[in-house]
Amino acid sequence: MSVQDSAFSLLAKIIKVISLKNIAIWSFAALVVLVGYTVFENRGPLVSYLVNGPTINAPSIIGFKVSSASQARVKQLVDIDDLINSIVIMNADIRNNRRVPLYWYSDDVSVQKTLDGTYAGLYGGIPLFTAEEKNNENVVGVINGEFACSEYAAGNTAVFPGLLSRMPFICRASLPPYYGQFSGFVAISLNRKPSPDELIVLKSETLSISTEIFFRDIVPSQHISKYDK
């Protein structure tokens, strides 16, 4: 190989090395710019993450009011069924561990007075989960959309405090009566333990009321759809 050929070969290698180096530098610079732009565009969430840590996607409270039609439906069921002592409609906020009584009714004047004294003005609600293990089991049950009944003492004092002698048995159903959109629950106090046949009827009526309240009162509050009140 001549000196001239060697010189051209060396020059070609130098140009190739310089070109690859430039490509690498420009690619790295472009990557830095892209990352910097992404960070700048998402600076709010990133700062929040660094300051407050990761966000836990827990269900939050879904505020709603029990309509007059739903109240009338609850009253009708309590008044015509001798088995039922009272019904309480609870809103629930899992994130802040609160249950908020929205509406309650009993055809027993003394029980109604006790419920009024317990719930009236209780806008901040009461704890959803407590130190009582059975209460927490009941709460998990309604979150999962279960309908269940149990004796008063089995975790029900948080809903019906001091009323053991008046309502020995309590049933609960989720709002709505299925898993996925938990907004609260319906608690029904009974004058006695229901028979198997009575329990079937009671479950049907409770799930019906829960469904009606969900579509009549809860869904419109979230602007999902309309329901004729």
Side-chain angles (χ1 to χ4, degrees):
M1 180 181 293
S2 65
V3 175
Q4 185 177 7
D5 290 338
S6 297
F8 276 118
S9 178
L10 179 60
L11 181 61
K13 290 180 180 179
I14 293 173
I15 293 173
K16 184 177 180 181
V17 170
I18 293 175
S19 298
L20 291 175
K21 185 177 181 180
N22 284 338
I23 291 173
I25 292 173
W26 281 107
S27 297
F28 180 73
L31 179 61
V32 170
V33 171
L34 179 61
V35 171
Y37 177 77
T38 302
V39 170
F40 177 78
E41 286 295 306
N42 295 277
R43 59 192 182 280
L46 286 172
V47 170
S48 177
Y49 178 87
L50 292 173
V51 173
N52 303 315
T55 299
I56 299 174
N57 293 320
S60 186
I61 191 167
I62 301 175
F64 66 95
K65 293 182 179 180
V66 181
S67 65
S68 57
S70 295
Q71 292 181 23
R73 179 76 169 85
V74 168
K75 286 183 177 180
Q76 179 187 40
L77 181 59
V78 175
D79 289 340
I80 65 175
D81 194 332
D82 292 337
L83 177 65
I84 299 175
N85 182 292
S86 62
I87 293 179
V88 176
I89 309 299
M90 286 277 188
N91 194 188
D93 179 1
I94 297 178
R95 179 177 298 168
N96 294 308
N97 190 35
R98 308 304 290 171
R99 68 180 90 192
V100 182
L102 300 181
Y103 178 71
W104 52 93
Y105 175 74
S106 174
D107 57 357
D108 185 316
V109 176
S110 63
V111 171
Q112 181 66 35
K113 184 177 180 180
T114 299
L115 294 178
D116 287 342
T118 301
Y119 294 144
L122 198 62
Y123 301 113
I126 53 181
L128 186 62
F129 292 97
T130 67
E132 189 177 0
E133 183 178 351
K134 187 58 182 178
N135 168 75
N136 298 339
E137 291 178 7
N138 293 341
V139 172
V140 171
V142 292
I143 290 175
N144 288 329
E146 299 174 2
F147 172 84
C149 298
S150 61
E151 294 180 357
Y152 173 90
N156 295 299
T157 54
V159 181
F160 298 103
L163 289 169
L164 172 59
S165 62
R166 308 304 297 271
M167 45 186 72
F169 222 74
I170 310 291
C171 295
R172 299 162 300 280
S174 176
L175 284 169
Y178 48 79
Y179 178 79
Q181 299 188 55
F182 179 65
S183 308
F185 60 93
V186 179
I188 300 182
S189 68
L190 308 180
N191 291 311
R192 54 180 170 76
K193 183 177 180 178
S195 68
D197 290 340
E198 288 174 328
L199 189 59
I200 292 174
V201 175
L202 180 64
K203 179 178 180 180
S204 176
E205 289 286 358
T206 304
L207 299 187
S208 175
I209 283 183
S210 175
T211 302
E212 290 176 24
I213 291 175
F214 179 69
F215 286 105
R216 180 186 290 124
D217 304 331
I218 299 176
V219 169
S221 72
Q222 300 176 77
H223 307 289
I224 297 175
S225 68
K226 294 182 179 179
Y227 191 98
D228 184 12
K229 295 187 178 183

